[in-house]
Amino acid sequence: MKILVPVKRVIDYNLKPRVRSDGTGVDLSNIKMSMNPFDEIAVEEAIRLAEAGKADEVVVVSIGPAKAQETLRTGMAMGADRAILVETDDEVEPLAVAKILKAVVAEENPGMVIMGKQAIDDDSNQTGQMLAALLGWAQGTFASKVELDSDAVTVTREVDGGLETVKLGLPAIVTTDLRLNEPRFAKLPNIMKAKKKPLDVKSPSDYRVDITPRLKTLKVVEPPVREAGEIVPDVDTLVAKLKAMGAV
């Protein structure tokens, strides 16, 4: 079985984003970029399934600028077999991403798509669900455990009330949560081997998908600085202040 893993190039999660001085967006100049952490977990899970003999090929795919090839090479250094880059310098919204991925799925015919539950740059948490709807496939979101059989996948997912276990018939979409696994570090020999693995470059027009934005960002601002707390002498004073704030 083939597993398809979409990955996204984002600002490294260890860094604090900077807003442009004109408020038009986040400043990406001279800043470290890396694979979206949730997508890294998805790549690791797909590789583990392949190592266990449950899958015979892992394909990573990304939609973004030419520099996203570095992200795809990272996925292949971790153990993915090959990669596809749908190259565009434009910002692509979740629905357009889902439409492109639907076309890639039709071309590649995977048995399962494993992807991060969300990207840490826009926090949309939409693409996996949209892709499942467009394909008419079963979906298991926020996965903390994945068990793959020949014709079904059992997903333990994190919900507000605890854990929920669902069994999905294949093909299916699975989106990963933080506690699913701990991604491996790519070793130097594997990084060198990844440079020789096949990477196909496509464009959105190859898949006949219109990526024209449906939303317009009016302004981006830094979050307000949190005010310092205040120590009160007793409960009565606390209650009085909460009442004055309208909190009770």
Side-chain angles (χ1 to χ4, degrees):
M1 184 182 73
K2 182 189 299 184
I3 299 178
L4 187 72
V5 187
V7 298
K8 187 176 184 181
R9 179 177 181 265
V10 299
I11 294 176
D12 190 274
Y13 72 94
N14 290 303
L15 303 178
K16 181 183 177 181
R18 304 187 305 269
V19 176
R20 296 192 192 113
S21 57
D22 58 3
T24 57
V26 175
D27 185 5
L28 300 180
S29 58
N30 301 318
I31 193 165
K32 181 183 177 183
M33 307 290 284
S34 59
M35 185 185 298
N36 178 50
F38 291 104
D39 298 341
E40 197 172 15
I41 292 169
V43 173
E44 174 66 27
E45 192 65 20
I47 294 168
R48 291 188 185 189
L49 290 172
E51 291 173 342
K54 301 292 181 68
D56 50 24
E57 187 179 25
V58 175
V59 182
V60 287
V61 56
S62 188
I63 302 166
K67 289 184 178 180
Q69 291 190 31
E70 300 170 6
T71 306
L72 292 170
R73 294 292 179 192
T74 299
M76 289 189 285
M78 291 174 66
D81 299 290
R82 58 188 178 88
I84 301 169
L85 172 62
V86 183
E87 186 176 332
T88 176
D89 291 324
D90 297 327
E91 184 175 349
V92 187
E93 294 174 354
L95 180 58
V97 172
K99 289 180 177 179
I100 292 172
L101 291 177
K102 178 188 176 184
V104 174
V105 166
E107 190 176 78
E108 293 290 332
N109 194 31
M112 185 164 63
V113 176
I114 303 180
M115 59 197 302
K117 69 172 185 178
Q118 64 193 70
I120 62 171
D121 54 357
D122 58 17
D123 276 338
S124 292
N125 184 15
Q126 296 175 340
T127 304
Q129 294 89 327
M130 288 177 170
L131 179 59
L134 291 172
L135 290 171
W137 287 11
Q139 61 177 304
T141 54
F142 316 132
S144 60
K145 186 177 181 181
V146 175
E147 297 174 297
L148 181 61
D149 297 322
S150 58
D151 59 349
V153 58
T154 302
V155 177
T156 301
R157 54 190 305 268
E158 300 190 359
V159 296
D160 291 341
L163 298 176
E164 177 186 59
T165 302
V166 294
K167 187 173 184 179
L168 314 172
L170 296 176
I173 308 290
V174 175
T175 70
T176 60
D177 216 327
L178 283 175
R179 279 160 287 280
L180 179 58
N181 60 51
E182 183 72 28
R184 70 192 68 189
F185 288 102
K187 298 178 181 179
L188 181 59
N190 293 335
I191 293 174
M192 300 305 294
K193 290 177 183 177
K195 294 180 179 180
K196 298 182 180 180
K197 290 185 178 181
L199 192 158
D200 295 331
V201 179
K202 307 266 189 168
S203 70
S205 60
D206 291 334
Y207 297 108
R208 299 180 181 179
V209 175
D210 180 11
I211 61 172
T212 303
R214 298 165 183 261
L215 302 175
K216 182 179 180 180
T217 301
L218 301 180
K219 190 176 183 181
V220 178
V221 297
E222 294 274 3
V225 178
R226 185 174 179 178
E227 296 181 2
E230 179 183 352
I231 298 176
V232 295
D234 50 47
V235 174
D236 291 338
T237 305
L238 173 62
V239 173
K241 286 185 174 293
L242 289 176
K243 286 182 176 178
M245 294 168 58
V248 294

